[in-house]
Each structure stands twice: as structure tokens, then as C-alpha cells.
């Protein structure tokens, strides 16, 4: 999905296929959202390497436009928190290319 939306010229994008991929990926993000319903971070109440790893993927998921994504309030809350961390700002947040 990332490659198709970010690295493929707009005129060559197959938006039907991209949305199908996004819908399939949303299944995984719903699992993460459910996990975050009862905790501050992925593995509990402490920031861990799991948050770093999933944060990089979440940046791509949440950072692309042009697709329909489900509302995932727990994921959004968690991402807002980790996205404010200095390391995230420096290494993960720069524009995708």
C-alpha cells in the first residue's frame, strides 16, 4: 500500500487494488487498537521496543492519504503520544518518500 500510494505516480495507481490492500491491513490495525484499549503502550504501561517497531509501521499507515481507513481511537491516542517523542520526530516523522 505504501509503495502504491507514495512511490507510484498518481496516474499509474490502481486505487481499487490499493483500497483492497488497505482494507486487509486494517484488520491488523484493529488488533493493535484493541490491545491499546487497556494499556498506554503496546506491551503495557511502559514504552518498549515494541512501540518503536510498530510506531514506524503506524507512521506509514496513518501518514498516507487517499484511502479509507477505519476509526481507531486507541491507535490514534497511542500514536500521538509516541509521535511527540524526540527520537520519533527526528528519525520517523520526516516526510515519506
Amino acid at each position: 500500500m505504501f509503495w502504491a500510494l507514495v512511490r507510484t505516480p498518481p496516474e499509474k495507481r490502481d486505487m481499487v487494488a490499493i483500497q483492497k490492500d488497505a482494507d486487509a491491513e486494517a484488520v491488523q490495525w484493529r488488533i493493535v487498537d484493541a490491545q491499546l484499549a487497556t494499556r498506554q503502550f503496546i506491551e503495557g504501561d511502559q514504552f518498549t521496543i515494541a512501540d518503536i517497531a510498530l510506531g514506524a509501521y503506524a507512521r506509514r499507515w496513518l501518514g498516507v492519504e487517499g484511502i479509507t481507513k477505519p476509526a481507531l481511537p486507541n491507535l490514534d491516542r497511542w500514536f500521538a503520544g509516541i509521535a511527540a517523542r524526540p527520537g520519533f520526530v527526528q528519525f520517523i516523522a520526516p516526510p515519506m518518500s
Side-chain angles (χ1 to χ4, degrees), residues 25-37 42 72 75:
E25 190 172 339
V27 172
Q28 277 55 256
W29 288 115
R30 283 187 175 100
I31 295 168
V32 175
D33 187 71
Q35 177 85 353
L36 290 166
I42 297 297
L72 301 168
L75 179 71

Side-chain angles (χ1 to χ4, degrees), residues 9-21:
E11 66 277 3
K12 293 185 178 182
R13 294 178 188 159
D14 180 346
M15 292 309 294
V16 172
I18 293 169
Q19 186 61 55
K20 183 178 176 183
D21 290 343

